[in-house]
């Protein structure tokens, strides 16, 4: 067997366990482990990938509760996990310090266990006020015979128009957007008379001039058959130039995001990151059934930040960020040459942020609405051409233009579903709603970006502390040198003074003896001074 803390060599199967002296439950547990090892080897052989890594850490590691993928060849084939399994061992690309990793994420002893953090599982219930607003918006107008409240509301809406009722009708028939804007068409639709109201004013046999403003408006609207449908088609014509670009942009966003996850530079970065994450997860779960997997579900991405180190000072995600930065020589610390450094996944994060806000159901309903409205528009134009009130020529031109653009939208829709389906399959996920899939990635990449910032701040703080320590050491050294120079100067001054006193002795005395004694005394003082320094 390999030394403790070292993974088994590729292709090496762990030796069969010794069953002597084990109870029946223990025997069954070892038997289940043997089956998992055999199944893992079969999957590796079928997919032509590296055998499953087995680790024997020196310490008992904290368990990482991820959602591991089943050992199923069909589930793993043509996925990112198959690509990762065929890559070289991660130790050849990353300087993975096992002792450091074990010291950070080993299991706590009972005496050092702290209180567990409680998870906030508050739901995202719908706001009551939003429900009330929705109910009020969906509340149908009461269909009655122009009662006072209905008349009051219609009158207020009509007062915003500086047109006569006949001019409004003429603008609808001609589809003249220079007279009626989209907002004006929507307002007229909101007060357009119902069938009962049209019947009520049409059966009036009195003097029309005696009718009120609302009743006269209803009479004018009832003067042209099929005006309600023309008004609806006019609105579709005006809205198409706004709705179509939004739908096309949304589909292109989903296509681009799906392709970025499966191909190109962002996909290569993701594959490398997932290799590191898979390696760390297998190391943590060594010796358990959660270690018998070649991949994990995307829902487990958020758990890498939740797992804290033994000393609670860092997380597994921060540790992984440091490994990635070391391998790619990345740093978010601003410099003169790079004042605004970019993170490892900043571009991909922006794509995921945009795509997770696109609701799949809304886009599908918009495309369906365009298809239905365009079909009705075409039928109305064809039928009206046989009457004395045909649609204007611009309506015929619009049908041709809208059909071409809608065909392009339909192609983009098919491409969007195909690319999204391939992205889900590539990560071993079931196909669901766009917004849920991309939101998972956006939330994880946002956490990764925050971890990058934390790591950069920690490194900058360490450098700042080291710089301060160096400056303090330099300051003390300079102070020490100043004191030494001052002491040396004092010694030289004292030596000079003693020598001068010796030379200026009494006349007739032996001057050589005092000078020699003074020289010896000066040398002795110098030696003592240097010894004290």
């Amino acid at each position: 067997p390999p030394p403790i803390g070292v993974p088994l060599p590729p292709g090496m199967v762990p030796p069969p366990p010794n069953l002597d002296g084990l109870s029946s439950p223990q025997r069954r547990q070892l038997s289940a482990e043997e089956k998992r090892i055999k199944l893992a080897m079969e999957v590796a052989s079928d997919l032509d990938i590296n055998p499953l890594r087995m680790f024997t850490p020196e310490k008992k590691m904290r368990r990482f509760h991820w959602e591991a993928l089943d050992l199923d060849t069909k589930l793993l084939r043509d996925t990112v996990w198959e690509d990762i399994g065929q890559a070289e061992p991660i130790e050849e690309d990353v300087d993975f310090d096992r002792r450091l990793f074990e010291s950070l994420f080993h299991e706590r002893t009972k005496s050092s266990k702290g209180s567990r953090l409680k998870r906030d599982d508050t739901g995202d219930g719908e706001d009551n006020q939003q429900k009330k607003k929705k109910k009020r918006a969906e509340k149908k107008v009461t269909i009655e015979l122009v009662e006072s409240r209905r008349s009051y509301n219609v009158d207020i809406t009509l007062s915003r128009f500086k047109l006569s009722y006949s001019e409004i009708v003429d603008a609808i028939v001609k589809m003249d957007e220079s007279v009626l804007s989209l907002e004006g068409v929507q307002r007229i639709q909101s007060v357009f008379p119902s069938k009962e109201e049209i019947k009520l004013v049409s059966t009036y046999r009195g003097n029309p001039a005696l009718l009120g403003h609302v009743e006269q408006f209803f009479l004018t609207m009832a003067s042209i058959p099929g005006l309600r449908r023309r008004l609806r088609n006019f609105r579709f014509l005006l809205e198409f130039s706004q709705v179509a670009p939004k739908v096309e942009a949304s589909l292109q966003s989903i296509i681009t995001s799906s392709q970025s996850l499966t191909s190109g530079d962002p996909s290569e970065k993701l594959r490398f990151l997932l290799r590191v994450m898979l390696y760390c997860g297998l190391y943590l779960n060594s010796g358990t059934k959660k270690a018998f997997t070649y991949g994990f579900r995307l829902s487990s991405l958020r758990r890498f930040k939740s797992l804290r180190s033994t000393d609670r000072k860092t997380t597994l995600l921060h540790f992984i960020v440091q490994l990635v930065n070391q391998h790619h020589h990345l740093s978010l610390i601003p410099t003169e040459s790079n004042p605004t450094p970019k993170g490892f996944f900043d571009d991909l994060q922006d794509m995921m942020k945009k795509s997770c806000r696109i609701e799949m159901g809304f886009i599908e309903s918009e495309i369906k609405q365009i298809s239905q409205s365009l079909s009705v528009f075409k039928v109305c134009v064809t039928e009206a051409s046989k009457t004395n009130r045909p649609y204007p020529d611009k309506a015929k031109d619009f049908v041709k233009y809208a059909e071409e653009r809608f065909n392009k939208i339909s192609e983009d829709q098919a491409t969007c579903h195909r690319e999204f389906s391939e992205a889900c399959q590539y990560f071993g996920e079931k196909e669901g709603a766009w917004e849920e899939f991309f939101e998972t990635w956006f939330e994880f990449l946002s956490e990764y970006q925050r971890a990058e910032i934390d790591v950069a701040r920690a490194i900058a703080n360490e450098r700042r502390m080291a710089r301060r320590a160096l400056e303090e050491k330099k300051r003390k050294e300079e102070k020490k040198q100043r004191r030494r120079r001052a002491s040396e100067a004092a010694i030289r001054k004292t030596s000079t003074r003693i020598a001068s006193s010796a030379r200026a002795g009494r006349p007739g005395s032996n001057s050589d003896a005092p000078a020699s004694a003074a020289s010896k005394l000066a040398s002795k003082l110098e030696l003592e001074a240097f010894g004290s320094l």
Side-chain angles (χ1 to χ4, degrees), residues 219-268:
L219 274 176
T220 307
M221 295 296 107
S223 62
I224 299 180
L227 188 64
R228 182 191 296 274
R229 181 173 294 182
R230 285 177 179 263
L231 184 63
R232 191 185 301 116
N233 290 333
F234 188 21
R235 177 175 177 174
F236 170 67
L237 183 145
L238 297 175
E239 286 182 336
F240 185 81
S241 59
Q242 299 180 9
V243 175
K246 293 180 180 179
V247 172
E248 291 170 344
S250 298
L251 294 175
Q252 286 298 327
S253 178
I254 300 298
I255 293 173
T256 304
S257 298
S258 301
Q259 292 175 345
S260 298
L261 292 173
T262 57
S263 60
D265 183 63
S267 180
E268 291 182 4

Side-chain angles (χ1 to χ4, degrees), residues 455-513:
V455 170
R457 287 176 178 173
I459 295 175
N461 187 49
E462 290 178 0
R463 292 179 180 177
R464 184 166 54 253
M465 296 298 292
R467 187 167 57 251
R468 288 180 180 176
L470 184 63
E471 292 175 355
E472 182 65 19
K473 182 179 179 181
K474 184 178 180 181
R475 186 183 64 81
K476 290 182 178 180
E477 186 67 26
E478 291 177 350
K479 184 178 180 180
K480 186 176 180 180
Q481 290 179 1
R482 286 196 301 268
R483 292 178 60 184
R484 178 178 295 180
R485 287 194 294 268
S487 299
E488 292 175 353
I491 292 171
R492 285 193 297 269
K493 186 176 181 180
T494 303
S495 300
T496 303
R497 186 170 64 251
I498 294 173
S500 299
S501 300
R503 285 193 299 269
R506 295 179 181 182
S509 62
N510 189 3
S511 59
D512 293 338

Side-chain angles (χ1 to χ4, degrees), residues 34 69 71 105 109 129 139 174 178 185 214 236 245 261 277 279 299 356 371 373 406 419 446 480 485 492 518:
E34 289 179 354
L69 294 177
L71 294 173
F105 298 101
T109 58
Q129 292 183 353
K139 188 176 180 181
K174 294 181 179 180
S178 63
V185 172
V214 174
F236 170 67
L261 292 173
M277 297 172 77
Y279 183 90
S299 57
C356 73
S371 176
S373 300
F406 180 73
E419 295 292 341
S446 299
K480 186 176 180 180
R485 287 194 294 268
R492 285 193 297 269

Side-chain angles (χ1 to χ4, degrees), residues 348-404:
L348 186 62
Q349 181 189 3
D350 293 338
M351 294 183 192
M352 300 300 107
K353 180 179 180 180
K354 185 177 180 181
S355 297
C356 73
R357 295 177 178 178
I358 301 174
E359 296 184 8
M360 181 178 182
F362 175 77
I363 297 300
E364 296 286 347
S365 64
E366 285 289 297
I367 296 175
K368 183 178 180 180
Q369 183 64 35
I370 291 175
S371 176
Q372 294 176 350
S373 300
L374 183 58
S375 299
V376 172
F377 196 102
K378 290 166 56 179
V379 171
C380 292
V381 170
T382 303
E383 292 180 352
S385 62
K386 303 175 183 179
T387 64
N388 57 350
R389 289 186 181 274
Y391 275 70
D393 293 337
K394 66 182 301 182
K396 300 177 183 178
D397 297 336
F398 169 76
V399 169
K400 183 178 179 181
Y401 161 76
E403 282 184 330
E404 293 177 355

Side-chain angles (χ1 to χ4, degrees), residues 25-142:
Q26 291 175 331
R27 289 174 180 269
R28 286 194 297 268
Q29 183 178 0
L30 289 176
S31 177
E33 184 174 347
E34 289 179 354
K35 292 180 180 179
R36 286 192 290 266
I37 294 175
K38 183 179 179 181
L39 182 58
M41 297 300 295
E42 291 177 356
V43 171
S45 176
D46 294 341
L47 297 177
D48 192 21
I49 61 179
N50 297 323
L52 198 62
R53 309 298 300 276
M54 299 294 177
F55 302 96
T56 54
E58 294 181 356
K59 300 180 181 180
K60 183 178 180 181
M61 305 300 293
R62 303 191 68 186
R63 294 306 172 218
F64 184 53
H65 301 287
W66 59 8
E67 295 183 33
L69 294 177
D70 296 334
L71 294 173
D72 187 354
T73 303
K74 295 181 180 179
L75 181 63
L76 296 171
R77 190 178 298 280
D78 297 330
T79 67
V80 65
W81 308 115
E82 183 181 8
D83 295 341
I84 291 175
Q86 294 174 350
E88 296 294 330
I90 194 66
E91 294 94 335
E92 298 186 7
D93 294 330
V94 176
D95 184 14
F96 189 85
D97 191 340
R98 292 191 179 88
R99 295 189 180 275
L100 174 61
F101 187 71
E102 291 181 15
S103 66
L104 288 174
F105 298 101
H106 67 271
E107 187 65 48
R108 289 186 180 184
T109 58
K110 293 184 178 180
S111 58
S112 62
K113 283 188 178 180
S115 59
R116 296 183 178 178
L117 296 177
K118 295 182 179 180
R119 183 187 297 178
D120 185 9
D121 291 331
T122 55
D124 298 329
E126 189 176 359
D127 193 352
N128 291 331
Q129 292 183 353
Q130 295 295 332
K131 288 183 178 181
K132 292 180 181 179
K133 289 182 180 180
K134 187 176 181 181
K135 289 182 179 179
R136 286 198 296 267
E138 294 177 351
K139 188 176 180 181
K140 295 182 179 180
V141 177
T142 304

